[in-house]
Amino acid sequence: MFYRENGQFKTTYKSDQQIFAVKQDRIAIIAIIAFAFIGVPMLADEYLFRAILVPFLILALAAIGVNILVGYCGQISLGSGAFMAVGAYMAYNVFMRVEDMPLIVALLSGGFFAMLAGIIFGIPSLRVKGLYLAVATLAAQFFFDWLFVRVRWFTLDSPAGTAEVSNLSVFGWQIATPMDKYLFVLGFVVVFALLAKNLVRGPIGREWMAIRDMDVAASVIGIRPMYAKLTAFAVSSFIIGVAGALWAFVHLGSWEPLSFDINRSFQLLFIVIIGGLGSIMGCFFGAAFIVITPIVLNQLLPWIGSLFGVEISTAMVGHAEFMIFGALIVWFLIKEPHGLAKYWSMARHKLRLWPFPH
């Protein structure tokens, strides 16, 4: 009975257009955010911050960008890793070449340049779609992989071909410890997640979904396919670029182009598929699954092997990880195309009916 909409009347336009229409949802979201900012720093240790929480948040942010393009607009992309690389390297150049450049401005500038790259490589979406568009975005991945390896300007002529940042600070706050990095990234994720959630509920979000469902019908009712598709590429690439800059600056500290290779693009696509296409919440579910599953397998498989007297090597664990991911993606595409977010939606629906399921 505690999760009901009874008595929650919408008496103003503002209340009718809230991101979270149910009061209990608003309370839950506020409680989760408060716990993330206050409770987690008190309970988590350095390993949890460094190996799980920071990667989880950044990958969830990148997945939000991918989901806007793939899940909400229906444009398949295999170049997400390239746009992360653009955000990382351009943020690095802005941060290092411009004197006294604020860190937040540098990170956002990385998203801006990634947005420009996304618009350029999104132009083929005006003429092609499906697998042909996937190949066009895959070209972006190979092009930027080559560019950042061969052109030493992007790494400030580093002999090793790597980029490195240190001594990060924001308004006098030194971002040095794993907990500082977690809180800094969490602030970005909360802001961008709320902005994305609000954006997909607005007019532009409805245009994206109309293009996804049937682009010909959308153009007949007055939606401009060029505007809708290119704005989806722009917003998606901007968010992915910011996530790439955070991955490089905060999580890695020192990186090379291989940190954003095609495996990263597939990883983000898997997060969206497992979490749920067309769901902001699903991005967090998918990212948690991708980050936690390898750690669980590394501990669980050797233990299972020891029960049967079989020694399982680290290489075997890595192969098992790929097999499990592949099987789960096929299972989700067949059994539940909406991913883990669908189970979350079903649970909320049952809570509304409880204790009277009929």
Side-chain angles (χ1 to χ4, degrees):
M1 298 294 291
F2 68 91
Y3 192 70
R4 291 293 182 89
E5 297 179 58
N6 293 350
Q8 300 185 29
F9 303 110
K10 309 298 189 298
T11 58
T12 63
Y13 287 112
K14 182 178 179 180
S15 62
D16 189 49
Q17 296 175 356
Q18 295 178 103
I19 297 179
F20 304 102
V22 182
K23 181 180 178 181
Q24 290 86 338
D25 286 341
R26 295 195 296 273
I27 295 174
I29 291 297
I30 293 173
I32 291 172
I33 294 175
F35 178 76
F37 275 104
I38 301 173
V40 172
M42 297 174 60
L43 300 175
D45 58 7
E46 182 176 343
Y47 171 79
L48 196 61
F49 285 125
R50 192 186 302 274
I52 297 179
L53 293 176
V54 171
F56 156 70
L57 289 174
I58 299 176
L59 290 177
L61 179 60
I64 290 173
V66 176
N67 216 343
I68 286 176
L69 183 62
V70 179
Y72 285 97
C73 196
Q75 309 300 302
I76 300 177
S77 174
L78 295 178
S80 307
F83 300 134
M84 286 186 73
V86 173
Y89 279 100
M90 294 311 298
Y92 172 70
N93 277 270
V94 170
F95 186 67
M96 298 298 291
R97 294 179 185 274
V98 180
E99 187 177 356
D100 297 328
M101 171 58 63
L103 176 60
I104 294 178
V105 176
L107 296 175
L108 295 178
S109 69
F112 172 76
F113 286 105
M115 178 185 70
L116 296 180
I119 292 175
I120 293 172
F121 283 92
I123 291 176
S125 68
L126 306 178
R127 301 289 295 177
V128 298
K129 57 184 177 180
L131 293 177
Y132 299 100
L133 179 59
V135 172
T137 56
L138 189 61
Q141 182 68 56
F142 292 130
F143 171 74
F144 285 112
D145 281 349
W146 170 86
L147 183 68
F148 295 130
V149 169
R150 300 299 180 184
V151 181
R152 295 175 60 185
W153 180 87
F154 292 103
T155 58
L156 303 182
D157 297 321
S158 171
T162 60
E164 183 177 355
V165 293
S166 58
N167 300 324
L168 302 178
S169 63
V170 176
F171 302 116
W173 172 34
Q174 293 293 327
I175 305 172
T177 66
M179 185 179 72
D180 294 333
K181 295 178 179 180
Y182 162 78
L183 292 173
F184 181 69
V185 172
L186 180 61
F188 269 88
V189 173
V190 169
V191 171
F192 275 94
L194 291 176
L195 288 176
K197 180 67 175 178
N198 209 27
L199 191 62
V200 297
R201 296 170 62 251
I204 186 62
R206 290 193 289 271
E207 290 186 11
W208 293 341
M209 287 182 276
I211 292 293
R212 174 197 64 192
D213 295 337
M214 188 175 291
D215 54 353
V216 176
S219 62
V220 168
I221 63 175
I223 294 175
R224 295 169 291 172
M226 181 180 73
Y227 173 78
K229 291 181 179 181
L230 290 185
T231 52
F233 268 97
V235 174
S236 170
S237 301
F238 180 83
I239 297 175
I240 294 172
V242 173
L246 287 171
W247 186 265
F249 278 55
V250 179
H251 180 53
L252 298 179
S254 177
W255 70 95
E256 56 184 3
L258 286 177
S259 302
F260 305 100
D261 61 1
I262 192 171
N263 292 322
R264 187 69 62 198
S265 298
F266 282 118
Q267 183 186 45
L268 294 176
L269 190 61
F270 295 161
I271 289 174
V272 171
I273 293 174
I274 293 174
L277 292 167
S279 170
I280 300 297
M281 183 65 73
C283 297
F284 293 92
F285 292 146
F289 183 89
I290 290 292
V291 171
I292 295 174
T293 300
I295 299 174
V296 173
L297 291 178
N298 283 330
Q299 302 295 324
L300 186 62
L301 291 181
W303 178 75
I304 294 176
S306 65
L307 294 179
F308 297 94
V310 178
E311 183 179 354
I312 299 180
S313 64
T314 305
M316 182 59 189
V317 173
H319 296 318
E321 177 185 332
F322 283 113
M323 290 187 290
I324 291 173
F325 281 155
L328 285 172
I329 289 170
V330 173
W331 185 83
F332 276 114
L333 289 175
I334 296 174
K335 180 68 176 178
E336 188 50 77
H338 296 289
L340 295 173
K342 180 63 176 180
Y343 293 105
W344 168 249
S345 177
M346 292 168 57
R348 292 177 61 216
H349 179 68
K350 290 182 178 180
L351 278 175
R352 292 186 182 189
L353 298 179
W354 186 84
F356 306 106
H358 302 292

